[in-house]
């Protein structure tokens, strides 16, 4: 059977696909990724810092815009070269949401670490943690991601002895997964 299709008059935009109305009329339309597809990956960095005794600081506090409402997010946190006194207990928390105040958002990572070196030496360690899907976006407007650090009885340092490269900084990696 002979089938005739009518092509659109103008070229489509980058990333658009040809669709049909079922009657031979073709049009350019935005492509929609399948559910479960990673649609964007973002990285946020924080440099070397000493957090004083019994202090809370927003080490990373940045904005991002989800591409799709209802997306889930995977988050990876990496904290290199942490130096703290023997017995110090420190908290590392990541929040995501629409409020510029971190604690009003969803806490997706919550790690407490106590250093156990020798009583005469500082303890140096690195760690990473991840969360897969605890946060779902309710829209595509401005969102915030925050790495919040809290020191216990003693001060501690993050990203110490850094060479200044992103590989040696505190890091949050965020992936948006379309649902």
């Amino acid at each position: 059977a002979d089938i005739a299709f009518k092509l659109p008059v103008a070229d489509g935009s980058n990333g658009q696909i040809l669709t049909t109305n079922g009657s031979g009329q073709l049009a350019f339309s935005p492509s929609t990724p399948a559910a479960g597809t990673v649609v964007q990956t973002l990285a946020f960095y924080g440099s070397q810092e000493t957090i004083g005794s019994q202090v809370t600081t927003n080490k990373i506090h940045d904005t991002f815009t989800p591409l799709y409402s209802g997306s889930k997010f995977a988050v990876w946190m990496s904290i290199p070269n942490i130096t703290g006194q023997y017995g110090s207990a420190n908290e590392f928390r990541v929040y995501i949401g629409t409020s510029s105040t971190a604690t009003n958002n969803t806490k997706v990572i919550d790690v407490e670490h106590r250093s156990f070196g020798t009583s005469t030496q500082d303890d140096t360690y690195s760690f990473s943690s991840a969360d897969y899907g605890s946060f779902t976006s309710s829209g595509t407007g401005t969102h915030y991601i925050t790495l919040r650090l809290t020191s216990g009885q003693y001060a501690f340092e993050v990203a110490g002895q850094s060479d200044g490269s992103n590989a040696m900084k505190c890091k949050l990696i965020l992936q948006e997964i379309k649902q």
Side-chain angles (χ1 to χ4, degrees):
D2 290 335
I3 299 174
F5 291 99
K6 185 172 181 183
L7 291 170
V9 176
D11 289 342
S13 300
N14 185 26
Q16 287 188 318
I17 59 173
L18 277 174
T19 58
T20 180
N21 66 359
S23 299
Q25 181 70 41
L26 297 175
F28 288 103
S29 302
S31 65
T32 302
T37 301
V38 173
V39 293
Q40 71 172 321
T41 300
L42 304 168
F44 306 93
Y45 299 97
S47 57
Q48 181 176 352
E49 183 176 348
T50 299
I51 292 86
S53 172
Q54 298 179 342
V55 170
T56 297
T57 185
N58 290 337
K59 180 67 199 141
I60 296 172
H61 185 68
D62 217 328
T63 61
F64 68 97
T65 303
L67 298 177
Y68 297 93
S69 182
S71 289
K72 290 200 172 282
F73 289 84
V75 183
W76 290 268
M77 170 182 73
S78 176
I79 313 291
N81 297 339
I82 304 163
T83 305
Q85 184 172 334
Y86 167 78
S88 63
N90 307 306
E91 296 172 352
F92 305 84
R93 295 184 172 129
V94 177
Y95 297 86
I96 302 176
T98 57
S99 173
S100 61
T101 303
T103 54
N104 290 341
N105 294 324
T106 302
K107 185 183 343 174
V108 295
I109 295 177
D110 188 359
V111 175
E112 182 176 325
H113 183 273
R114 183 176 296 276
S115 55
F116 291 102
T118 64
S119 59
T120 59
Q121 294 281 332
D122 280 352
D123 208 13
T124 300
Y125 58 97
S126 299
F127 73 83
S128 60
S129 184
D131 172 76
Y132 302 98
S134 291
F135 177 76
T136 302
S137 66
S138 59
T140 57
T142 300
H143 283 62
Y144 295 84
I145 185 165
T146 306
L147 169 60
R148 198 165 167 85
L149 308 178
T150 302
S151 62
Q153 180 179 359
Y154 306 107
F156 71 104
E157 181 181 48
V158 294
Q161 305 160 4
S162 176
D163 62 4
S165 69
N166 284 343
M168 294 300 293
K169 293 182 179 179
C170 296
K171 185 180 326 179
L172 294 175
I173 305 295
L174 180 71
Q175 285 190 326
E176 180 177 356
I177 305 159
K178 180 155 181 346
Q179 299 301 297

